[in-house]
Amino acid sequence: MSSSTLVPVFDGHNDVLYRLLQGKAQPERDFLEGDNLGHLDLPRMRKGGFAGGFFAVYVSSQSGGLDVDAMMTQPQYDVPLPAQLELAPSQRVTVQMASLLFRIERESKGQVKVCRTAADIRACMKNGTLATILHIEGAEAIDPDLHMLDVLYESGLRSIGPVWSRPTIFGHGVPFRYPSTGDTGPGLTDLGKELIKACNRLKIMIDLSHLNEKGFWDVAKLSDSPLVATHSNAYAICPHSRNLSDNQLAAIKESRGMVGVNFATSFIRPDGQRGADTPLTDMIRHMDHLIEKVGVDGVGLGSDFDGATIPAEIGDVAGLQNLVEAMRKHGYDEATIRKICHENWVNVLERTWGR
């Protein structure tokens, strides 16, 4: 493969659905035709080699007047977590955001597909269709009886994170706190344990990013699926509560699971700061550590596009191949690059979904 060839990238996490719904009159058209806002739209995806990924449904909390950006410029910071959300409004937003992905698929005239099997993803990557996975980041829309889980699964849901940092009826997440370990609170609730068992029965992937350490170990004990963190980095390099300890990485390796390297600079930099001037060599340090601890078959990319400050050397999705080139310059061979960029994600989903 020549260095000029686009290496397809399958990505572990993005927030484009949330971005598109912020005051947009025609979000489907903005995505398909390109609005050049944020990090993602279809024309820029084509330019950067973005072949597909997990499209997150995320219900926002009010900031409460906090200037989070200013807080995270301090040498140490601890951003207070929002309160738990109510079920009914969370369900409304979740249905609206999932509907947007289905409308994008419908209006794309074959350019975009919501994938429900690994075979779907492989077919899309072969024929140039954007392969999307409906993912929920924070299970606020799931009721205690798990009725909504059934409905969403039949609609196409194939991946779920029990929490986005703030608490849910299922468990507790980690704060945006630096420096901090992930040992920040209690583990899964009884309902959370039932959610994990139900996801195993349905073969829905469980995303451990944002879940605190006790919750992580509860999932590791309960789940019979590979352990996956879609957008997390190495705590040994950046001591942030959102990053994974070497013990957690060992458990992920044992389960034949995955970690998607997060592009968010505050989880990359050893000083925990947000800054677009973060060099790609810092990202590569995380990749090296994750490969050492999890293995080359357990590392992918989890950009957090449209949800984070990312390195200027990437800029937006059109700049993905700059990261590929940085991996080449670092000495990764083409087989390793293909694994990290897409093959590992498709393989772990096949192991999780069973097809």
Side-chain angles (χ1 to χ4, degrees):
M1 179 182 294
S2 70
S3 61
S4 62
T5 303
L6 290 179
V7 176
V9 172
F10 194 89
D11 179 51
H13 187 85
N14 76 67
D15 288 296
V16 69
L17 298 175
Y18 174 76
R19 179 183 72 78
L20 287 169
L21 284 174
Q22 304 312 299
K24 298 284 187 179
Q26 295 179 306
E28 301 94 334
R29 180 180 296 179
D30 288 337
F31 178 80
L32 293 170
E33 297 181 3
D35 61 5
N36 287 311
L37 300 174
H39 296 139
L40 293 177
D41 55 41
L42 188 59
R44 285 180 290 168
M45 288 172 165
R46 301 291 193 209
K47 184 176 180 181
F50 188 103
F54 295 72
F55 281 59
V57 169
Y58 163 72
V59 183
S60 178
S61 294
Q62 297 299 315
S63 67
L66 294 175
D67 188 343
V68 175
D69 289 336
M71 294 179 72
M72 293 181 70
T73 63
Q74 303 302 311
Q76 299 183 9
Y77 52 82
D78 186 1
V79 180
L81 284 177
Q84 186 170 319
L85 298 179
E86 295 181 2
L87 178 64
S90 298
Q91 289 183 336
R92 285 196 297 271
V93 173
T94 296
V95 170
Q96 180 188 23
M97 211 170 288
S99 171
L100 173 57
L101 182 59
F102 299 137
R103 291 180 182 190
I104 287 171
E105 177 186 39
R106 186 166 61 244
E107 295 191 16
S108 74
K109 297 180 173 61
Q111 297 182 84
V112 179
K113 180 177 176 60
V114 179
C115 295
R116 293 162 172 82
T117 67
D120 286 346
I121 298 171
R122 294 185 196 280
C124 286
M125 294 188 70
K126 184 176 181 179
N127 64 29
T129 301
L130 180 69
T132 72
I133 295 170
L134 178 59
H135 164 75
I136 285 185
E137 182 179 34
E140 285 86 358
I142 308 299
D143 56 284
D145 294 316
L146 307 183
H147 295 150
M148 182 60 84
L149 184 69
D150 292 329
V151 172
L152 290 170
Y153 173 78
E154 294 300 330
S155 298
L157 179 72
R158 292 296 180 271
S159 174
I160 187 168
V163 299
W164 169 85
S165 287
R166 70 193 159 219
T168 68
I169 61 173
F170 304 109
H172 302 268
V174 292
F176 294 89
R177 179 187 299 163
Y178 177 91
S180 172
T181 70
D183 187 13
T184 57
L188 296 179
T189 65
D190 288 344
L191 283 174
K193 294 173 183 178
E194 292 304 313
L195 175 66
I196 300 307
K197 293 174 185 176
C199 287
N200 279 176
R201 288 194 298 271
L202 293 169
K203 299 190 181 302
I204 297 173
M205 195 193 84
I206 301 155
D207 181 14
L208 299 166
S209 290
H210 287 281
L211 193 63
N212 69 3
E213 195 162 348
K214 286 186 175 67
F216 176 100
W217 292 116
D218 284 341
V219 175
K221 181 179 179 180
L222 285 168
S223 180
D224 57 16
S225 294
L227 300 177
V228 176
T230 60
H231 57 305
S232 295
N233 292 338
Y235 183 87
I237 295 172
C238 172
H240 198 294
S241 56
R242 274 281 282 107
N243 289 337
L244 298 165
S245 70
D246 285 354
N247 285 339
Q248 289 173 303
L249 296 176
I252 290 170
K253 179 180 182 178
E254 184 177 357
S255 75
R256 297 181 69 208
M258 276 278 298
V259 180
V261 175
N262 195 326
F263 297 9
T265 55
S266 52
F267 310 141
I268 296 171
R269 298 164 62 108
D271 63 6
Q273 298 291 295
R274 284 186 180 179
D277 60 345
T278 302
L280 295 186
T281 50
D282 281 2
M283 288 186 65
I284 302 291
R285 285 183 64 199
H286 284 272
M287 288 184 192
D288 282 345
H289 189 84
L290 294 172
I291 289 171
E292 177 187 348
K293 298 299 180 182
V294 182
V296 72
D297 295 327
V299 180
L301 302 177
S303 68
D304 218 346
F305 277 140
D306 279 328
T309 299
I310 68 170
E313 290 180 67
I314 298 174
D316 62 19
V317 68
L320 269 176
Q321 299 300 310
N322 296 337
L323 176 59
V324 174
E325 284 300 319
M327 294 161 69
R328 286 194 180 105
K329 289 178 181 177
H330 184 67
Y332 291 172
D333 61 28
E334 295 302 317
T336 297
I337 290 171
R338 288 194 303 273
K339 285 184 175 186
I340 293 171
C341 285
H342 60 268
E343 290 176 355
N344 289 343
W345 271 125
V346 182
N347 289 337
V348 81
L349 288 171
E350 193 166 54
R351 292 195 293 274
T352 302
W353 296 343
R355 56 204 172 109

